[in-house]
Every structure is written in structure tokens, then in C-alpha cells.
Amino acid sequence: MAETTAHGTARRGGREQRVTKQRLAVSAALDRLQDFVSTQDLHRLLHDEGASVSLATTYRILQSMADEGLVDVLRTDDGEAVYRRCEATGHHHHLVCRRCGRAVDIEAPAVETWASHVAREHGYTAIEHTVEIFGLCPECTAIVAREAAEA
Amino acid sequence: MAETTAHGTARRGGREQRVTKQRLAVSAALDRLQDFVSTQDLHRLLHDEGASVSLATTYRILQSMADEGLVDVLRTDDGEAVYRRCEATGHHHHLVCRRCGRAVDIEAPAVETWASHVAREHGYTAIEHTVEIFGLCPECTAIVAREAAEA
DNA sequence: TTCACTGCAAATGCTTTGCAGCGCC
DNA sequence: GGCGCTGCAAAGCATTTGCAGTGAA
């Protein structure tokens, strides 16, 4: 569906993609973060550091980057979309901290084959799957433990 | 968090749960369906067959049933919550038709151990995970194929 | 100059909530 | 009878969109 050129500049169906300061700001922020962030959070972040990107534009840019496969999208428990630029380029999964959003890329070939095997077994076609692991990262584990001790 | 009695009647933290005709209607509808449905869809369904359950109540009942573990909850790609009564009672996953919502319960002990192993390896704690497989069920595969042929 | 990109604000659509009346236990 | 449950309508929120101005190529 979406193609990406060697330099990260992307195009969709031949339509050009202009390099604006808003797009650069969003891209830079994503590079700097190693966490999954919601559009609202990212917009607040950009706004706080003085970048002029409107909320609507943040939504548009993030959505377009997701379409182009430049960022990974996830849904939090309450249905909010969160985005993250990943090292891994192809299909992969994540181990995500549910407190701070920090994530680790996970490859799991065995799970892939298992999924397609199970699906085919039941006659399902056009298979896709989602596998995400949520937990508390080491740091957040410590913080939560400390808070529990104080209480 | 939530406990369930032997007869499906449930209680939370000692607070009682009354058996109303709305709750029975929702429960019956879920039993009849073998598919994941959104609150909006379920409400439309109930309304069309004459049951008098308001949308707000449908939301409240479904949410409470999810809290009690009486139904499984999933999020569609666009963040909408969908519910389903499952045969399997404990932790399990699903093979879901993305067109009609029909689902098959999946058990995958190997995936469970893999997930907790990976998480621990990275120092993550309080682990949970989601594994869902989406595709087209046999019937929908046929329908889609026919539509493609006609076009 | 052109046309994609932006900002702003209004509009969506799902979900939640306040409140008064109803009905299960 | 008491109190949880309902319905209705009014919020709440994340996300989308129409439109006119702006700026990248």
C-alpha cells in the first residue's frame, strides 16, 4: 500500500509529500522519544517546547506517517491510538510499559507461524494478528514499588 | 477483582447485582450471538427486536459484565469496544472474522509462556498480553470472493 | 504560480454521567 | 420501602473535516 524511499521521505500513490516544519517537528519528537505517545500527548509536548503545530495537524501527520509505515500504531486499553517510531522496519511486536509507554521491539517467528497455522486450520483467510505484551518497565516497577511502600 | 457465583449471577465487592429484564435481554442476545458486537450494534439489535433497553443502559450492562468477567472485550482497529460471551472461561485468545465478527476461542499455552519469558528477560513486571488473530471466516471469504468476481 | 499543508473551529461518533422515576429484592 | 437500575438528555473526549490562508517546490 505505502512505499518508503531510502531516505525516509515517503510518497503515497505518486502524490507528493511536502517537507514542512510541522512534519519535521513531529518526526524529530518521535525520534527523540523511545515511547509510545498519544496524539494529544505529542501535541502537548511539541507545544510546550515552543514548536508551532496545531492539534489537527498533529493528528494528520501522525496518521499519514502510520499509513506510510513510518511509525507503529497501537491502541491503549481505552481505545486511544498511540504512535512510536521503531528500529525494526518489518512486521514485529512490542513489549510496552503501561505506565510510561517505553517499548522494546520483539520478533517472534514462532508466533507468526503459529498464528497462520491456527487460522488456516479454522478456514480463515486474509490473516493478520496482533501480539502485544504489556507490563511495567524496570524503572516504573521500582517507582510503583516505592509508592506502595510509602502508602 | 470480580467474583462470579455458580449460576452466572455475579456480585462485585459485596454489592448486589439485580436481575432486570434489560440485563436478561442483553445476556440472552449475547448467548444467541457467537460474534463480537459493539455496544451500538447490540443496542440496535435489541431495539429492532422490540426489547426496551436504552443505549446508555446497554453500555452500563456490557461494561459491568466485562468487569465481572462474564464477557470478553476486544478493541476494533478504530478503537471501538466489542463484546462477546465465550465458552472458554479462563484466559484465552480469539480468531476473529473482521467482517462479521464471528470468533473462535483459541488456547495457546506456548504463547503464554513465551510472553512471560520475553517480558521477564527485559525486566518487565506485572505482565499482561493480548494476542488476537483477525481474518475472514470461511463464509465471509466466499462472499468476498463472489463480490470480487462480480466486479 | 500551484496545490499540498496548516490552523481554527465546528462537527462527528463513541462513551459517560447527572438526575428523577421505576421496580427488584 | 430501600436502593440499585433505567431512561433521557446533556456532557466529555478523542478524532475528523470544511474552509480560507500560507508556504514548499
Side-chain angles (χ1 to χ4, degrees):
Chain A
M1 315 280 141
E3 320 134 32
T4 308
T5 72
H7 286 48
T9 319
R11 49 177 63 221
R12 294 174 295 180
R15 218 186 339 265
E16 72 187 271
Q17 192 72 251
R18 291 187 180 169
V19 180
T20 63
K21 70 168 181 293
Q22 287 83 349
R23 203 177 173 84
L24 288 174
V26 168
S27 190
L30 286 172
D31 277 336
R32 204 174 327 124
L33 294 166
Q34 275 300 38
D35 310 348
F36 274 97
V37 286
S38 68
T39 310
Q40 303 272 353
D41 286 344
L42 187 58
H43 173 252
R44 196 174 311 126
L45 206 80
L46 290 167
H47 186 270
D48 288 351
E49 62 187 28
S52 78
V53 185
S54 75
L55 180 58
T57 297
T58 310
Y59 270 103
R60 282 187 275 234
I61 291 177
L62 244 22
Q63 199 169 58
S64 114
M65 293 182 83
D67 285 347
E68 293 155 23
L70 297 179
V71 294
D72 282 5
V73 198
L74 233 60
R75 291 268 170 190
T76 62
D77 272 343
D78 53 313
E80 211 184 16
V82 286
Y83 302 83
R84 182 202 189 211
R85 166 151 300 157
C86 286
E87 315 292 305
T89 48
H91 172 77
H92 63 282
H93 305 293
H94 304 98
L95 168 56
V96 190
C97 177
R98 75 165 69 83
R99 189 167 173 282
C100 72
R102 178 172 310 172
V104 179
D105 294 338
I106 302 286
E107 307 255 352
V111 176
E112 314 297 321
T113 55
W114 164 81
S116 65
H117 180 71
V118 167
R120 207 162 319 164
E121 206 166 60
H122 288 275
Y124 278 60
T125 62
I127 300 154
E128 281 179 24
H129 64 266
T130 68
V131 175
E132 306 297 340
I133 309 179
F134 297 95
L136 291 173
C137 70
E139 280 183 30
C140 288
T141 298
I143 294 173
V144 169
R146 190 183 322 138
E147 286 176 354
E150 287 170 357
Chain B
M1 316 266 148
E3 319 136 30
T4 307
T5 71
H7 286 49
T9 320
R11 47 179 61 219
R12 293 175 296 182
R15 217 186 340 266
E16 70 188 273
Q17 191 73 251
R18 291 189 179 168
V19 180
T20 63
K21 68 168 185 290
Q22 287 82 351
R23 204 177 173 84
L24 288 174
V26 168
S27 190
L30 286 172
D31 277 335
R32 205 173 328 123
L33 294 165
Q34 275 300 36
D35 310 349
F36 274 97
V37 286
S38 68
T39 309
Q40 304 271 351
D41 286 344
L42 187 57
H43 173 253
R44 197 174 310 126
L45 207 77
L46 290 168
H47 187 270
D48 287 352
E49 62 187 31
S52 77
V53 185
S54 75
L55 180 59
T57 297
T58 309
Y59 270 104
R60 283 188 274 235
I61 291 177
L62 245 22
Q63 199 166 59
S64 114
M65 293 183 84
D67 285 347
E68 294 156 21
L70 297 179
V71 295
D72 282 6
V73 198
L74 232 62
R75 291 269 170 189
T76 62
D77 273 342
D78 52 314
E80 210 184 16
V82 286
Y83 303 83
R84 182 204 190 211
R85 168 150 298 157
C86 286
E87 315 292 305
T89 50
H91 173 77
H92 63 283
H93 305 293
H94 305 97
L95 169 56
V96 191
C97 177
R98 78 165 67 84
R99 189 166 173 284
C100 71
R102 177 173 310 174
V104 179
D105 294 339
I106 303 285
E107 308 256 352
V111 175
E112 315 296 321
T113 55
W114 164 81
S116 65
H117 181 71
V118 168
R120 207 164 318 166
E121 206 167 60
H122 289 275
Y124 278 59
T125 63
I127 300 155
E128 280 179 25
H129 64 267
T130 67
V131 175
E132 306 297 339
I133 309 179
F134 298 95
L136 291 173
C137 70
E139 279 183 32
C140 288
T141 298
I143 294 174
V144 169
R146 190 182 322 139
E147 287 175 355
E150 287 169 359

